Amino acid sequence: MTADQLARVAITETPRLTQLSLRLDPAGSSSAPVAAVLGARLPTAPCTWAAAPEADLLWLGPDEWLLLAPPDTADLAPSLRHAIAPHFGTVTDVSSQRTAFDLTGPGAPDLLAHGCAIDLHPRSSPTGTCVQTLLAQTGVTLLVLDDAPQAPTLRLLVRTSFAPYLRSWLGDVASGT
Amino acid sequence: MQLIPCPWCGPREEAEYHYGGQAHIAYPDDPQGLTDQEWAQYVFFRDNPKGPFAERWMHSAGCRRWFNAVRDTATHRLLTVYRSGEPRPEVPTP
């Protein structure tokens, strides 16, 4: 991987995504009504995400998911709360918690390899991978949006307070300093 | 860096984990009935074997779940990991 390819990785921020933290028992009675609202079942395989009509569904733990929807999706949380109310589970709006950086370009996996131990080759991290790990000592949620070798797209969700640091770090690695 | 296999996420770097001490220490059935000495035994005293030792670990930078691991304290090799709530599996003695 040449320095030129690292420099040509496009880094864009997607701020203010609607983010909902969802806690429920996937084998319990609340999973079916939630799936009806979302238009798809929650992914239960560890370290994966799935696209649904209403939101992207990110596996964070065996009973924990993060839902990503476009900014200002105000009606999703109330309808989920309504569906979950007779059952056991919680929906929490955590939109202010994280911001998203999207990295696109053939050099994107190698750029992250400077500070992250996850193997981002499509063989071990295909499209649909969602891992929580450390990137340059910062806790991130890393999504593989597209694993096409010519133009892979990766999304980093990072705590808002860490975002300026992580953005500077990405810029430093891309410019080779 | 040593890789620790999380029962949910798979092998990850040791820096992503927190250590939680000895596993399988049950809360006393009748805490009111314990003498001070028995309470101190429960709170403070832990085994310290040389060899396989069942411990609690948490994947704090990943899925944030607690799990149990059997680690050889002499070699720092993790012999097995298992989800919390599961019984301790038999590990072959080296």
Side-chain angles (χ1 to χ4, degrees), chain A residues 23 46-47 60 62-64 117-118 131-134, chain B residues 8-9 12-13 15-16 59 61-65 83:
Chain A
R23 302 290 304 261
C47 304
L60 296 189
D63 59 359
E64 183 176 9
I118 299 291
V131 293
Q132 301 162 87
T133 185
L134 295 177
Chain B
W8 295 100
C9 302
R12 298 291 184 85
E13 289 190 315
E16 295 190 5
H59 192 191
C63 60
R64 301 190 291 127
R65 295 310 120 160
R83 293 174 183 177

Side-chain angles (χ1 to χ4, degrees), chain A residues 69-137:
Chain A
D72 303 319
T73 309
D75 53 341
L76 186 57
S79 47
L80 277 172
R81 279 200 195 99
H82 181 73
I84 223 170
H87 310 283
F88 186 69
T90 59
V91 182
T92 314
D93 191 325
V94 292
S95 301
S96 311
Q97 211 170 64
R98 304 176 183 83
T99 188
F101 291 116
D102 292 344
L103 284 72
T104 309
D110 292 272
L111 195 155
L112 294 190
H114 282 77
C116 177
I118 299 291
D119 182 0
L120 291 171
H121 191 279
R123 197 170 44 223
S124 40
S125 298
T127 305
T129 300
C130 167
V131 293
Q132 301 162 87
T133 185
L134 295 177
L135 171 64
Q137 291 87 49

Side-chain angles (χ1 to χ4, degrees), chain B residues 56-70:
Chain B
R56 302 165 74 223
W57 286 78
M58 190 182 75
H59 192 191
S60 46
C63 60
R64 301 190 291 127
R65 295 310 120 160
W66 285 97
F67 62 94
N68 296 323
V70 177

Side-chain angles (χ1 to χ4, degrees), chain A:
Chain A
M1 188 58 58
T2 63
D4 188 40
Q5 273 176 308
L6 288 187
R8 274 188 286 139
V9 173
I11 306 170
T12 54
E13 184 175 3
T14 311
R16 295 189 299 281
L17 286 169
T18 300
Q19 299 165 53
L20 302 177
S21 168
L22 181 61
R23 302 290 304 261
L24 57 85
D25 177 3
S29 57
S30 51
S31 76
V34 164
V37 170
L38 297 171
R41 295 196 74 80
L42 292 163
T44 51
C47 304
T48 59
W49 69 275
E54 298 296 327
D56 289 344
L57 320 174
L58 281 58
W59 184 95
L60 296 189
D63 59 359
E64 183 176 9
W65 291 265
L66 184 70
L67 313 184
L68 292 187
D72 303 319
T73 309
D75 53 341
L76 186 57
S79 47
L80 277 172
R81 279 200 195 99
H82 181 73
I84 223 170
H87 310 283
F88 186 69
T90 59
V91 182
T92 314
D93 191 325
V94 292
S95 301
S96 311
Q97 211 170 64
R98 304 176 183 83
T99 188
F101 291 116
D102 292 344
L103 284 72
T104 309
D110 292 272
L111 195 155
L112 294 190
H114 282 77
C116 177
I118 299 291
D119 182 0
L120 291 171
H121 191 279
R123 197 170 44 223
S124 40
S125 298
T127 305
T129 300
C130 167
V131 293
Q132 301 162 87
T133 185
L134 295 177
L135 171 64
Q137 291 87 49
T138 306
V140 294
T141 306
L142 171 60
L143 281 75
V144 181
L145 299 184
D146 188 351
D147 67 0
Q150 296 310 313
T153 304
L154 307 169
R155 170 167 282 183
L156 295 172
L157 297 173
V158 62
R159 299 276 171 164
T160 317
S161 52
F162 283 86
Y165 159 73
L166 192 70
R167 183 63 188 84
S168 314
W169 182 85
L170 291 169
D172 285 351
V173 174
S175 63
T177 53

